[in-house]
Amino acid sequence: MRGKFDEKYAVELPADVLRFPPVSLHEKEILITTEYAQVKIENPLTITAWRVLLGLLRYGKAEKRDPTLGLRVSIETYKLLAFMKTADWKDLKEVLKSLTECRYEIRYKRGSACFVVAGEFEIEKNGRTYVVLTASFMKFLEDYASLWFYYPFAFFLRKPSAINLHAFLTANSTISRVRLETTRERARITTDQPSKVRNYLKMALNELVEIGFLKGYRFEEDVIVLERYPMEVLRIRAIELQRQLDKEIQEFIEELKQAFRESKRKKRKKDKESGQEDIK
């Protein structure tokens, strides 16, 4: 799949689809207007579902591509549970279902695109999960891959506003001064109360500083001045975050497998004791 990890160039993903991150905690519909597009996203994803989508794009194995149905991707089920930080398979089903309901409608000057992110999915007993990323979704990734994302940064962000700002600033990698109102719009902060806007922006910008995407920032009246790292520094930081992510995922998988083995051991012991009582 595109965007494969390569330490020489850090981690990148085709990202025009991620230029408009489909993430929200409360909204049922997201409306975005930029200088070149109008975007509507219905049934946006939770942070957990967003992590799963990024995980499928980054770690998924391409199994079969169909020009009508899309790309069938497989991935270790334990890995998906690790992205979600849960051992509950019912939660996984709900998250995968949400990918089939998340719908983009994007209008450009040169055309339009309308699609859901995923089609059918299967969680099989062989320990792997299969997801069909729709043909329109994949075509969108390929046709509009003018922007590349540093995957680990996107994965580690926790707030939708931080995810949105990361998308905006990655698409505009050279700007160092942004109007406060523009930043509020791109972060998709809905309140217009000045004190709340500043507090919400501070929380989002602090996340970008914490993960090493920004060096710092400051407010100057109605402008935010950004202290940005050189591209090479961001690439090195992306590699560090990728290694951290791989380690965390592997550790979580080992914990899940150990818990599963322990559960089976206790069940066998209980069944054995129950059988001995029946003999008596």
Side-chain angles (χ1 to χ4, degrees):
M1 295 183 67
R2 300 187 67 173
K4 221 173 178 183
F5 178 61
D6 185 330
E7 291 199 358
K8 183 177 179 181
Y9 299 107
V11 184
E12 299 172 329
L13 278 179
D16 258 56
V17 72
L18 303 181
R19 188 193 292 261
F20 313 114
V23 186
S24 177
L25 298 181
H26 309 294
E27 299 167 291
K28 294 297 183 183
E29 182 177 274
I30 295 172
L31 298 174
I32 307 168
T33 299
T34 73
E35 61 276 12
Y36 69 94
Q38 290 181 322
V39 185
K40 180 168 73 171
I41 305 171
E42 298 175 353
N43 305 314
L45 305 177
T46 63
I47 295 293
T48 298
W50 166 250
R51 288 166 61 93
V52 167
L53 175 58
L54 291 177
L56 287 169
L57 290 170
R58 167 63 185 88
Y59 292 94
K61 177 184 177 184
E63 297 284 350
K64 181 180 179 182
R65 183 184 289 271
D66 184 286
T68 302
L69 298 177
L71 180 66
R72 181 178 168 88
V73 175
S74 73
I75 190 169
E76 185 182 2
T77 302
Y78 277 122
K79 193 163 284 185
L80 288 181
L81 294 173
F83 298 145
M84 297 170 58
K85 297 184 178 180
T86 182
D88 194 328
W89 290 52
K90 291 181 180 179
D91 289 347
L92 175 58
K93 289 181 180 179
E94 287 301 311
V95 164
L96 294 175
K97 183 173 179 288
S98 73
L99 296 183
T100 70
E101 297 169 343
C102 181
R103 181 177 181 273
Y104 276 84
E105 183 178 331
I106 305 178
R107 298 186 182 279
Y108 291 92
K109 292 179 181 179
R110 58 179 176 174
S112 62
C114 186
F115 54 86
V116 291
V117 172
E120 61 184 31
F121 64 87
E122 299 175 73
I123 304 174
E124 297 198 347
K125 293 181 178 179
N126 64 1
R128 296 192 71 79
T129 293
Y130 298 83
V131 180
V132 175
L133 300 174
T134 63
S136 296
F137 174 77
M138 296 308 298
K139 185 175 187 300
F140 188 71
L141 286 181
E142 293 162 358
D143 285 356
Y144 298 99
S146 59
L147 171 68
W148 296 85
F149 261 63
Y150 287 105
Y151 170 87
F153 292 111
F155 196 95
F156 277 95
L157 294 170
R158 303 180 301 277
K159 294 183 179 65
S161 55
I163 292 169
N164 295 327
L165 274 187
H166 173 252
F168 170 61
L169 295 176
T170 303
N172 298 273
S173 59
T174 60
I175 62 173
S176 59
R177 297 174 67 88
V178 192
R179 288 180 59 248
L180 192 65
E181 180 60 20
T182 300
T183 312
R184 182 189 70 82
E185 291 174 355
R186 294 309 177 92
R188 295 212 307 268
I189 294 171
T190 55
T191 183
D192 56 4
Q193 296 181 33
S195 60
K196 288 188 176 181
V197 168
R198 286 202 174 218
N199 286 337
Y200 290 145
L201 284 177
K202 283 179 181 178
M203 288 189 284
L205 289 165
N206 284 344
E207 275 202 41
L208 298 182
V209 172
E210 287 170 12
I211 64 170
F213 183 76
L214 287 180
K215 189 183 297 184
Y217 67 91
R218 67 181 184 273
F219 290 88
E220 290 186 356
E221 296 183 355
D222 63 344
V223 171
I224 299 177
V225 179
L226 304 171
E227 298 178 52
R228 308 193 69 161
Y229 288 107
M231 193 65 68
E232 189 56 38
V233 173
L234 289 179
R235 286 174 174 165
I236 293 171
R237 180 56 180 155
I239 291 170
E240 294 171 347
L241 287 174
Q242 181 65 55
R243 289 172 175 165
Q244 180 182 336
L245 176 59
D246 288 341
K247 181 181 178 182
E248 289 181 5
I249 289 172
Q250 193 55 45
E251 288 176 350
F252 195 89
I253 288 174
E254 290 303 319
E255 290 176 6
L256 282 178
K257 289 182 176 180
Q258 179 60 36
F260 182 66
R261 288 192 292 266
E262 183 64 18
S263 176
K264 288 182 67 176
R265 186 190 67 78
K266 288 181 178 180
K267 185 177 184 304
R268 286 195 301 268
K269 181 179 179 182
K270 184 177 180 180
D271 291 343
K272 183 178 179 181
E273 292 174 350
S274 177
Q276 289 174 346
E277 291 179 1
D278 290 342
I279 293 173
K280 294 177 182 179

